[in-house]
Amino acid sequence: NAGVTQTPKFQVLKTGQSMTLQCAQDMNHEYMSWYRQDPGMGLRLIHYSVGAGITDQGEVPNGYNVSRSTTEDFPLRLLSAAPSQTSVYFCASEDPSSYEQYFGPGTRLTVT
Amino acid sequence: SQKIEQNSEALNIQEGKTATLTCNYTNYSPAYLQWYRQDPGRGPVFLLLIRENEKEKRKERLKVTFDTTLKQSLFHITASQPADSATYLCALDIDNDMRFGAGTRLTVKP
């Protein structure tokens, strides 16, 4: 099992550009989520999904869109990047039997 | 609003001692609480889950307690080793919204 994979590892964007962060898992987990991690603030939930076709907002959803067309994939879209979105982004999936969250390696995004 | 606080940003201890990290929360009664380890440049890794009806959980050198009256969890690493140096995060499930503390950076000195 590859677990949770994320691409790209690093990205630099200019203000106003859009991009999609990719996330995939091969554990057949229904629950997936996106977090951002900023220094001193811990992980904050952006969006989550409880299964294909179902998404919902977390604590900090503004400026981000998600979709879930398959169980495996959960991409995160930045519509118009802003410097405030400079952060490290983590995708996770959850084992429903243990509530254990499996995190990907992260994407470090810089918006200039 | 919900608040999760971890006792300190950084904790330095000597090898062989017990490290104790604190997680306090307010305004919620979670069904369970989790602890994760995060190394620099990597995603968090799950360590332990403790449910609201459990007072204590152990896994090898790790021990977690959960006091729902005090709204506090303590995370202990006994016989600490330099390899235990990392950031430790606590997390609570709040209506499908996982909330994380900011973490405590533990350094174990040889």
Side-chain angles (χ1 to χ4, degrees):
Chain A
N1 280 358
V4 178
T5 58
Q6 290 183 239
T7 55
K9 283 195 185 315
F10 301 95
Q11 183 71 50
V12 179
L13 290 178
K14 293 192 189 311
T15 298
Q17 287 184 317
S18 63
M19 79 159 294
T20 299
L21 279 62
Q22 302 292 344
C23 174
Q25 52 96 7
D26 60 0
M27 296 171 281
N28 205 34
H29 291 161
E30 294 290 340
Y31 185 96
M32 295 185 73
S33 52
W34 276 101
Y35 294 88
R36 60 178 288 173
Q37 187 172 38
D38 302 292
M41 300 196 71
L43 288 155
R44 290 183 291 167
L45 183 66
I46 304 171
H47 285 283
Y48 65 93
S49 168
V50 298
I54 307 169
T55 63
D56 208 342
Q57 297 180 351
E59 188 184 356
V60 288
N62 291 343
Y64 307 96
N65 268 4
V66 291
S67 59
R68 185 96 179 269
S69 54
T70 66
T71 299
E72 294 76 23
D73 300 298
F74 190 40
L76 177 74
R77 277 184 290 280
L78 278 70
L79 308 171
S80 177
S84 61
Q85 294 179 304
T86 293
S87 187
V88 181
Y89 291 84
F90 289 101
C91 177
S93 71
E94 184 179 282
D95 180 339
S97 62
S98 66
Y99 302 113
E100 176 177 344
Q101 298 225 37
Y102 293 81
F103 284 85
T107 295
R108 185 174 292 275
L109 176 69
T110 302
V111 183
T112 60
Chain B
S1 64
Q2 319 298 342
K3 211 170 182 184
I4 302 171
E5 289 181 337
Q6 295 193 235
N7 59 324
S8 55
E9 245 187 70
L11 179 65
N12 298 319
I13 64 167
Q14 211 61 39
E15 183 176 6
K17 300 290 187 190
T18 296
T20 299
L21 285 64
T22 305
C23 177
N24 295 297
Y25 60 94
T26 60
N27 299 333
Y28 191 66
S29 298
Y32 59 86
L33 184 148
Q34 300 177 331
W35 284 89
Y36 288 80
R37 169 184 173 138
Q38 187 174 24
D39 291 289
R42 294 180 172 267
V45 174
F46 174 83
L47 294 175
L48 281 166
L49 177 149
I50 186 164
R51 298 178 188 277
E52 61 179 339
N53 60 349
E54 297 174 311
K55 289 277 189 261
E56 182 180 298
K57 203 111 178 240
R58 290 175 187 260
K59 180 181 172 184
E60 297 170 354
R61 293 183 297 109
L62 308 180
K63 185 178 89 171
V64 173
T65 62
F66 194 11
D67 188 325
T68 54
T69 303
L70 289 179
K71 295 189 182 294
Q72 181 182 78
S73 174
L74 298 179
F75 176 80
H76 306 273
I77 306 175
T78 58
S80 59
Q81 305 164 358
D84 295 325
S85 298
T87 296
Y88 292 87
L89 310 170
C90 68
L92 284 70
D93 175 60
I94 301 176
D95 297 330
N96 271 336
D97 189 344
M98 284 301 289
R99 298 291 182 99
F100 283 78
T104 296
R105 189 173 65 252
L106 174 68
T107 302
V108 181
K109 297 179 190 278

Coordinates of all heavy atoms in Angstrom, one line a residue, chain A residues 26-62:
Chain A
D26 N -5.1 4.6 -1.2 CA -5.3 3.3 -1.7 C -5.8 2.3 -0.6 O -5.7 1.1 -0.7 CB -4.1 2.7 -2.4 CG -2.9 2.5 -1.5 OD1 -3.0 2.9 -0.3 OD2 -1.9 2.1 -2.0
M27 N -6.4 2.9 0.4 CA -6.9 2.1 1.6 C -8.4 1.9 1.6 O -9.0 1.4 2.5 CB -6.4 2.7 2.9 CG -4.9 2.7 3.0 SD -4.2 3.7 4.3 CE -4.3 5.3 3.7
N28 N -9.1 2.5 0.6 CA -10.5 2.4 0.5 C -11.2 3.1 1.6 O -12.3 2.6 2.0 CB -11.0 0.9 0.4 CG -12.3 0.8 -0.3 OD1 -12.6 1.5 -1.3 ND2 -13.1 -0.2 0.1
H29 N -10.6 4.1 2.1 CA -11.2 4.9 3.2 C -12.3 5.8 2.6 O -12.1 6.5 1.6 CB -10.2 5.7 4.0 CG -9.3 4.9 4.8 ND1 -8.0 5.3 5.2 CD2 -9.4 3.6 5.2 CE1 -7.4 4.4 5.9 NE2 -8.2 3.3 5.9
E30 N -13.4 5.9 3.3 CA -14.5 6.8 2.9 C -14.2 8.2 3.3 O -14.4 9.2 2.5 CB -15.8 6.4 3.5 CG -16.4 5.0 3.0 CD -16.8 5.1 1.5 OE1 -17.1 6.2 1.0 OE2 -16.9 4.0 0.9
Y31 N -13.7 8.4 4.5 CA -13.5 9.8 5.0 C -12.1 10.3 4.6 O -11.1 9.6 4.8 CB -13.6 9.8 6.5 CG -13.5 11.1 7.2 CD1 -14.6 11.9 7.5 CD2 -12.2 11.7 7.5 CE1 -14.5 13.1 8.1 CE2 -12.2 13.0 8.0 CZ -13.3 13.7 8.3 OH -13.2 14.9 8.9
M32 N -12.1 11.5 3.9 CA -10.8 12.1 3.6 C -11.0 13.6 4.0 O -12.1 14.2 4.0 CB -10.5 12.0 2.1 CG -10.3 10.5 1.7 SD -9.8 10.4 0.0 CE -8.1 11.1 0.0
S33 N -9.8 14.2 4.2 CA -9.9 15.6 4.6 C -8.6 16.4 4.1 O -7.6 15.7 3.8 CB -10.0 15.7 6.1 OG -9.0 14.9 6.7
W34 N -8.7 17.7 4.1 CA -7.6 18.6 3.8 C -7.4 19.5 5.0 O -8.3 20.1 5.5 CB -7.9 19.4 2.6 CG -7.5 18.7 1.3 CD1 -8.4 18.2 0.4 CD2 -6.2 18.6 0.7 NE1 -7.7 17.6 -0.7 CE2 -6.4 17.9 -0.5 CE3 -4.9 19.0 1.1 CZ2 -5.3 17.6 -1.3 CZ3 -3.9 18.7 0.3 CH2 -4.1 18.0 -0.9
Y35 N -6.1 19.7 5.4 CA -5.7 20.6 6.4 C -4.6 21.5 5.9 O -3.9 21.2 5.0 CB -5.1 19.8 7.6 CG -6.0 18.9 8.3 CD1 -6.2 17.6 7.9 CD2 -6.7 19.3 9.5 CE1 -7.0 16.7 8.6 CE2 -7.5 18.5 10.2 CZ -7.6 17.2 9.7 OH -8.5 16.3 10.4
R36 N -4.5 22.7 6.5 CA -3.4 23.5 6.4 C -2.7 23.7 7.7 O -3.3 23.6 8.8 CB -3.7 24.9 5.8 CG -4.7 25.7 6.6 CD -4.9 27.1 5.9 NE -3.8 27.9 6.0 CZ -3.6 29.1 5.4 NH1 -4.6 29.6 4.6 NH2 -2.5 29.8 5.5
Q37 N -1.4 23.8 7.7 CA -0.6 23.9 8.9 C 0.3 25.2 8.8 O 1.1 25.3 7.9 CB 0.3 22.7 9.1 CG 1.0 22.7 10.5 CD 1.7 21.4 10.8 OE1 2.3 20.7 9.9 NE2 1.6 20.9 12.1
D38 N 0.1 26.1 9.8 CA 0.8 27.3 9.8 C 1.6 27.3 11.2 O 1.1 26.8 12.2 CB -0.1 28.5 9.7 CG -0.9 28.5 8.4 OD1 -0.2 28.6 7.3 OD2 -2.1 28.2 8.4
P39 N 2.7 28.0 11.2 CA 3.5 28.0 12.5 C 2.7 28.5 13.6 O 2.0 29.6 13.5 CB 4.6 29.0 12.1 CG 4.8 28.9 10.6 CD 3.4 28.7 10.1
G40 N 2.7 27.8 14.7 CA 2.0 28.3 15.9 C 0.5 28.1 15.9 O -0.1 28.4 16.9
M41 N 0.0 27.6 14.8 CA -1.5 27.5 14.8 C -2.0 26.0 14.6 O -3.2 25.8 14.6 CB -2.0 28.3 13.6 CG -1.7 29.7 13.7 SD -2.7 30.7 12.6 CE -4.3 30.6 13.4
G42 N -1.1 25.1 14.5 CA -1.5 23.7 14.4 C -2.2 23.5 13.1 O -2.2 24.3 12.1
L43 N -2.8 22.3 13.0 CA -3.5 21.9 11.7 C -4.9 22.5 11.8 O -5.6 22.3 12.8 CB -3.6 20.4 11.7 CG -2.3 19.7 11.3 CD1 -2.3 18.3 11.9 CD2 -2.0 19.7 9.8
R44 N -5.4 23.0 10.7 CA -6.8 23.5 10.6 C -7.5 22.9 9.4 O -6.9 22.8 8.3 CB -6.8 25.0 10.5 CG -6.3 25.8 11.7 CD -6.4 27.3 11.6 NE -5.5 27.8 10.6 CZ -5.5 29.0 10.1 NH1 -6.5 29.8 10.5 NH2 -4.6 29.4 9.3
L45 N -8.7 22.4 9.7 CA -9.4 21.6 8.7 C -10.0 22.6 7.6 O -10.7 23.5 8.0 CB -10.5 20.8 9.4 CG -11.4 19.9 8.5 CD1 -10.5 18.8 8.0 CD2 -12.5 19.4 9.3
I46 N -9.7 22.3 6.4 CA -10.2 23.1 5.3 C -11.6 22.6 4.8 O -12.6 23.2 4.8 CB -9.2 23.2 4.1 CG1 -7.9 23.7 4.6 CG2 -9.7 24.1 3.0 CD1 -6.8 23.6 3.6
H47 N -11.5 21.4 4.3 CA -12.7 20.6 3.8 C -12.6 19.2 4.1 O -11.5 18.7 4.3 CB -12.9 20.8 2.2 CG -13.3 22.1 1.8 ND1 -14.7 22.5 1.8 CD2 -12.7 23.1 1.2 CE1 -14.8 23.7 1.3 NE2 -13.6 24.1 0.9
Y48 N -13.7 18.5 4.1 CA -13.6 17.0 4.3 C -14.7 16.4 3.5 O -15.6 17.0 3.0 CB -13.8 16.7 5.8 CG -15.1 17.0 6.4 CD1 -16.1 16.1 6.5 CD2 -15.3 18.2 7.0 CE1 -17.3 16.4 7.1 CE2 -16.5 18.5 7.6 CZ -17.5 17.6 7.7 OH -18.7 17.9 8.3
S49 N -14.6 15.1 3.4 CA -15.6 14.3 2.6 C -15.8 13.0 3.3 O -14.9 12.3 3.7 CB -15.0 14.0 1.2 OG -15.8 13.1 0.5
V50 N -17.1 12.6 3.4 CA -17.4 11.3 4.0 C -17.7 10.2 3.0 O -18.0 9.1 3.4 CB -18.6 11.5 5.0 CG1 -18.3 12.4 6.1 CG2 -19.9 11.9 4.2
G51 N -17.5 10.5 1.7 CA -17.6 9.5 0.7 C -17.7 10.2 -0.7 O -17.9 11.4 -0.8
A52 N -17.6 9.4 -1.7 CA -17.7 9.9 -3.1 C -19.0 10.7 -3.3 O -20.1 10.3 -2.9 CB -17.6 8.8 -4.1
G53 N -18.9 11.9 -3.8 CA -20.0 12.8 -4.1 C -20.4 13.7 -2.9 O -21.4 14.5 -3.0
I54 N -19.8 13.5 -1.7 CA -20.2 14.2 -0.5 C -19.0 15.0 0.0 O -18.0 14.4 0.4 CB -20.7 13.3 0.6 CG1 -21.8 12.4 0.0 CG2 -21.2 14.1 1.8 CD1 -22.2 11.2 0.9
T55 N -19.1 16.3 0.1 CA -18.1 17.1 0.7 C -18.7 18.1 1.7 O -19.9 18.5 1.5 CB -17.2 17.9 -0.4 OG1 -18.1 18.8 -1.0 CG2 -16.6 16.9 -1.4
D56 N -17.9 18.6 2.6 CA -18.4 19.6 3.5 C -17.3 20.5 3.9 O -16.1 20.2 3.8 CB -19.0 19.0 4.7 CG -20.1 19.9 5.3 OD1 -20.1 21.1 5.0 OD2 -20.9 19.3 6.1
Q57 N -17.6 21.7 4.5 CA -16.6 22.7 4.9 C -16.1 22.4 6.3 O -16.8 21.9 7.1 CB -17.2 24.1 4.8 CG -17.7 24.5 3.5 CD -18.3 25.9 3.5 OE1 -18.5 26.5 4.5 NE2 -18.5 26.4 2.3
G58 N -14.8 22.7 6.5 CA -14.2 22.6 7.8 C -14.1 24.0 8.4 O -15.0 24.9 8.2
E59 N -13.1 24.2 9.1 CA -12.9 25.5 9.9 C -12.5 26.7 9.0 O -12.9 27.8 9.3 CB -11.8 25.2 10.9 CG -11.6 26.3 12.0 CD -10.4 26.0 12.9 OE1 -9.8 24.9 12.8 OE2 -10.1 26.8 13.7
V60 N -11.7 26.4 8.0 CA -11.2 27.5 7.1 C -11.4 27.2 5.6 O -10.4 27.1 4.9 CB -9.7 27.8 7.5 CG1 -9.5 28.4 8.8 CG2 -8.9 26.5 7.4
P61 N -12.6 27.2 5.1 CA -12.8 26.8 3.7 C -12.7 27.9 2.7 O -12.6 27.6 1.5 CB -14.3 26.3 3.8 CG -14.9 27.2 4.9 CD -13.8 27.4 5.9
N62 N -12.7 29.1 3.1 CA -12.7 30.2 2.1 C -11.5 30.2 1.2 O -10.4 30.2 1.7 CB -12.8 31.6 2.8 CG -14.2 31.7 3.5 OD1 -15.1 31.0 3.2 ND2 -14.3 32.7 4.5

